[in-house]
Amino acid sequence: MKVLQERKIEGKRNFFENDETLQFILENHLDDDFLQYAKRELHRFGEACANEIDERAKHTDREGEPRLIRYNKFGEETSEVWVNEGYWKTVEETYRTGIVGYVHKEIPELSRKGNYTYSFAQGYILSQTEPGFYCPVTLTQATAYLLDHYANDDVKQLFLDNVCSTGEVPLYEGATFLTERQGGSDVGANVVKAVKDGDHYRLYGEKYFASNAGMAGVAMVLARREGAPDGSKGLTLFAVPWRKESGEVNGLRIRRLKDKLGVRAVPSGEIEFDGAVAYVVGDPAKGFYYMMEALNLSRICNAVASIGIMRRAFIEAKEYAERRNAFGQRLTNYPMVQDTLGKMAAKLHVETAAIFDFIKLYERVTDGEATDREKVLNRLFIAIMKKESAEQAIHFAHEAIEMHGGNGYIEDFVTPRLLRDAQVLTVWEGTANILGLELIRLVNKFEAHKLFVDEMRKRLVIIQENEMKAAIKAELEKLSADLVAFAGYDQALQTFEAKAFMKRMSDLYESIVALEWAAQHGGKYAKIAEVFIEETWKLRRTGDRMKTVSYFTEIV
């Protein structure tokens, strides 16, 4: 508590206030009225996240994590999940900001809907303090997306207003239950059964890893109707309320909650369905397609959570280095520390800018305005950036721990939790191997590699000629030739090489985003581009080996 008390004496922290990258992103993406609203609300939320929500997150992680209450005092099975009072307060405060609802309904002050850029900015700030809770928010976003885009009016009437609640009606948090014990990532192997019963269905079977268990008001569940074909094409999407109108649990049972390494704020459990009432969402033959669309949304949320952890790790490393003396000097006076912080600052900026860059494209897709080419690029960007950002979240958490030395390994500091929470992001919503298969599918079916190279060339050509552009142009041409070869590999070699190609593609994409920011904003962003590109592509010139040290005070 000593560190926290010292911070309170110095003044409250705010995760939005000094984030120049995010503020520039919002200025570029939002019109004036929306921008002023967003800045005001994000300033409030940034202060709450950096202070009281952060304190609650620490309590939930260490002492107040969710607990399963299987039976009530009469011995009746209830399958309730207990969460602490502070967690409920965070639930209330966060959903009232419209982090889910305002994507689908009007913001009263503006008399129009919000958008995903604003929602993901909120998620980015939230993830700096509580990425575990951003998981239920993500699931609720996915639930709202599925209901809004695919459900008929009757099913929307049952659930959508509550899922999008900002306080005017009771909130139904959402959930998406895919994983079964025998299937895992192979969703086509799922066997949960749906039996027709009048105007609805009843579900039987189990889901083996179900997050937001017991907290969701409605879950989106894939199940197989009687007589449906095997594989993913035989899966139907259902909306399953957690409780009946009477308040009783709707034929659901939580077998147990998972004892997870991190993200302990979200209860993840094994769910048994024993006649749960369920309502078909959309075309019964398109359940798998619908859920994959929701998965893409969740993958963006995953990337947003990753950059949130990256920023918190950077902040903690920087603040510690600025106050810690060793061998007679502040840590920030040492070139090796300046090099570490400089590289972290550059990567954090560029990765954040790149993720919000493709979010613009995602909005075109969800608004129904995207071309077929843009839809393929959207899926490609999501896959490569989800992988890259998740891996970087772990790296940043590691660097923050190392900057703290032994203190970084002590639970008095936030750094151990950052590492534990970051680790799941490489697994949730698709491991690197699964994302590699997505790249292969996009290349083989849609020639996504050609679309990617063409898009990068178009964006590169309008940037003024300079040494950094020349280097990236050369790397793009190498990658283009190698991707053509990759497209011709047999399946075994493609799967072997896919992850390496994803890394090269994400590095190339981020490098071009870095050059665009340098061209648009100059100053420190030109220096950030130099540091990022030289480090990413290992470009080293004689007499210029300490650029991060030379630029330290400007970019950190």
Side-chain angles (χ1 to χ4, degrees), residues 17-231:
E17 195 170 55
N18 297 316
D19 193 336
E20 186 178 272
T21 298
L22 180 59
Q23 292 179 27
F24 271 141
I25 288 167
L26 296 174
E27 289 170 8
N28 288 335
H29 291 205
L30 305 180
D31 62 46
D32 289 343
D33 289 343
F34 198 172
L35 177 63
Q36 295 310 310
Y37 170 85
K39 282 188 171 182
R40 183 178 69 248
E41 294 303 312
L42 289 170
H43 189 277
R44 292 174 183 168
F45 194 49
E47 184 175 290
C49 285
N51 295 282
E52 55 264 31
I53 292 177
D54 196 46
E55 278 295 285
R56 297 178 205 145
K58 180 178 179 180
H59 172 70
T60 297
D61 179 71
R62 299 299 296 161
E63 300 161 344
E65 62 187 282
R67 297 197 295 269
L68 174 61
I69 302 174
R70 287 285 300 271
Y71 304 97
N72 64 18
K73 61 186 178 182
F74 299 109
E76 298 164 336
E77 191 164 23
T78 57
S79 282
E80 291 186 358
V81 173
W82 175 91
V83 295
N84 67 71
E85 187 176 334
Y87 183 90
W88 279 121
K89 185 66 174 174
T90 296
V91 169
E92 178 185 358
E93 289 182 5
T94 301
Y95 285 104
R96 282 181 181 270
T97 68
I99 191 170
V100 173
Y102 289 155
V103 176
H104 302 276
K105 66 181 184 181
E106 287 188 352
I107 301 172
E109 284 188 50
L110 300 178
S111 298
R112 57 173 162 158
K113 289 182 181 180
N115 60 28
Y116 278 110
T117 293
Y118 177 54
S119 175
F120 288 133
Q122 293 170 297
Y124 169 55
I125 290 171
L126 176 63
S127 296
Q128 293 174 45
T129 183
E130 184 54 295
F133 175 60
Y134 191 44
C135 171
V137 172
T138 295
L139 297 172
T140 307
Q141 283 187 297
T143 299
Y145 176 92
L146 290 168
L147 291 169
D148 197 15
H149 282 77
Y150 305 121
N152 63 32
D153 290 341
D154 291 340
V155 175
K156 285 183 183 178
Q157 185 70 30
L158 286 173
F159 305 116
L160 186 57
D161 286 347
N162 298 91
V163 172
C164 294
S165 175
T166 51
E168 65 286 341
V169 295
L171 171 69
Y172 290 177
E173 284 193 272
T176 55
F177 296 166
L178 286 80
T179 306
E180 297 182 17
R181 191 184 323 202
Q182 77 290 339
S185 297
D186 182 7
V187 179
N190 283 5
V191 296
V192 167
K193 182 171 62 175
V195 178
K196 182 74 171 171
D197 183 14
D199 63 351
H200 56 265
Y201 283 77
R202 291 188 179 273
L203 301 191
Y204 299 87
E206 71 166 39
K207 294 292 181 179
Y208 189 64
F209 200 105
S211 288
N212 218 21
M215 301 295 292
V218 58
M220 310 304 287
V221 182
L222 286 178
R224 198 176 303 278
R225 293 173 300 142
E226 292 180 300
D230 294 336

Side-chain angles (χ1 to χ4, degrees), residues 506-526:
S506 63
D507 284 349
L508 200 293
Y509 175 43
E510 289 187 16
S511 296
I512 290 177
V513 170
L515 289 173
E516 290 172 337
W517 273 69
Q520 182 176 357
H521 300 291
K524 81 171 190 178
Y525 294 104

Side-chain angles (χ1 to χ4, degrees), residues 342-486:
K343 289 173 181 175
M344 289 175 76
K347 179 66 174 178
L348 172 61
H349 159 71
V350 175
E351 197 135 290
T352 302
I355 285 170
F356 277 93
D357 178 78
F358 79 72
I359 286 169
K360 289 188 298 183
L361 178 58
Y362 179 73
E363 287 179 330
R364 285 183 54 79
V365 173
T366 56
D367 289 343
E369 299 174 354
T371 64
D372 289 342
R373 171 183 175 278
E374 288 174 324
K375 291 175 184 177
V376 174
L377 284 172
N378 172 64
R379 300 183 78 90
L380 179 64
F381 287 140
I382 290 172
I384 64 175
M385 293 307 299
K386 188 274 185 187
K387 174 183 177 295
E388 174 65 13
S389 59
E391 292 169 356
Q392 287 299 318
I394 296 171
H395 172 67
F396 269 58
H398 156 77
E399 290 286 12
I401 288 174
E402 185 161 313
M403 188 67 69
H404 284 68
N407 279 334
Y409 208 66
I410 305 302
E411 294 284 354
D412 291 345
F413 293 81
V414 73
T415 41
R417 176 159 61 90
L418 292 179
L419 183 59
R420 288 188 279 106
D421 287 354
Q423 185 64 63
V424 78
L425 296 172
T426 60
V427 177
W428 271 351
E429 320 307 342
T431 64
N433 289 331
I434 293 298
L435 295 169
L437 294 178
E438 173 75 343
L439 172 65
I440 292 168
R441 189 183 74 84
L442 292 172
V443 166
N444 292 347
K445 189 172 182 179
F446 302 106
E447 295 191 322
H449 58 300
K450 294 181 179 179
L451 299 181
F452 174 81
V453 170
D454 181 59
E455 177 69 13
M456 295 301 100
R457 283 176 177 152
K458 286 180 180 177
R459 292 176 64 161
L460 194 57
V461 74
I462 62 176
I463 297 171
Q464 187 175 356
E465 296 295 332
N466 57 52
E467 192 174 1
M468 290 297 101
K469 174 183 173 177
I472 296 307
K473 186 176 180 180
E475 293 295 339
L476 176 57
E477 295 312 311
K478 291 179 192 175
L479 178 60
S480 175
D482 291 345
L483 281 169
V484 170
F486 173 76

Side-chain angles (χ1 to χ4, degrees), residues 241-309:
W242 193 263
R243 295 187 180 276
K244 303 175 184 178
E245 290 185 10
S246 65
E248 297 176 280
V249 178
N250 174 31
L252 295 159
R253 178 183 302 110
I254 302 176
R255 180 186 296 143
R256 63 171 176 166
L257 295 183
K258 305 288 192 180
D259 186 8
K260 304 192 300 294
L261 171 68
V263 289
R264 293 174 176 167
V266 53
S268 302
E270 298 168 14
I271 307 295
E272 296 177 350
F273 296 86
D274 186 15
V277 173
Y279 302 90
V280 173
V281 174
D283 184 337
K286 291 186 176 181
F288 181 77
Y289 166 78
Y290 297 152
M291 195 65 98
M292 291 306 101
E293 291 301 302
L295 181 65
N296 267 327
L297 169 57
S298 297
R299 283 175 174 169
I300 301 175
C301 292
N302 193 289
V304 168
S306 294
I307 56 175
I309 289 178

